[in-house]
Amino acid sequence: MSDTQPVVDSNWLARQPPGSVRIVDLRWALSGPAALEKYRAGHIPGAVYVDMERDLSRPGGPGRHPFPEPEDLARVLGRIGVAPTTHVVVYDDGGGSVAARLWFMVRVHGHQRASVLDGGYAAWVKAGLPVTQEEPRIAPVPPPTLRLDASRLVDRTRVAGLLAGRREPGARHALVMDARAPERYRGETEPIDKRAGHIPGAVNAPFSGNLKDGRFRPPEELRALYDRLGAGRASEVVASCGSGVTACHTLLALELAGFPGGKLYVGSWSDWSNQPGAAVATGADPG
């Protein structure tokens, strides 16, 4: 385990000597201004831009945002100057909902020194800290050696098996949590995927519930939240969302709450809903 805090605030980051951390700008959204345009319009000094689609995903599925191969992620990290001991601090403009993807990815590939900037770019600006349009000159380093802990990732077959096990009397049940907005979970709307609804048996845990005024809730509040959902009683905890991005926010919140070791269904709803024979549920949380 690393002693690096999974979440840091703007004042802490502002106090770090130049070059002592690698700051990553991971602003991204499905619609609206392109992330690179936002970066070029203004970013935290020293921050390097990383592209969610090109750098932290690959084509071909399953789902919209499957993990790149470890060697491809290693090349991205080497390109932005991340050596084995580099402390990576990543931010976005979505409450950490995208930044947590890189945090989780590097962690499960063995790079423990990673943090998300609490409140992201908005908190930095609100604190009156400087922004710049200047892109830093970063010397590449050799791609680090990454070793994926595949036990932290699950696929559709595994999720289906875990949820089937919930019907077995006396067993400690797995908990699958869906980080999407309640209206998408209930199947009232689906702006992206072919079918609306949720994985039968999954509970709704919108990532927005981890936040208060755009920042993470205190650990005790997060613990109470996830205790109510059953994280403390579950044999296994799996986070899901639309395509394996915002579910990482759930995994970060779980760690803050004292429930480390949660797993990611990388394909998430974009994988599950695309399977013609996969069952789909709609309506309220199963409780």
Side-chain angles (χ1 to χ4, degrees), residues 172-175 177 203 223-237 254 259:
R172 287 189 70 216
H173 296 151
L175 178 64
M177 293 186 290
V203 301
R223 186 169 187 86
L225 169 65
Y226 286 104
D227 251 336
R228 287 195 297 272
L229 289 170
R233 303 183 300 278
S235 60
E236 196 168 333
V237 178
L254 282 165
F259 298 117

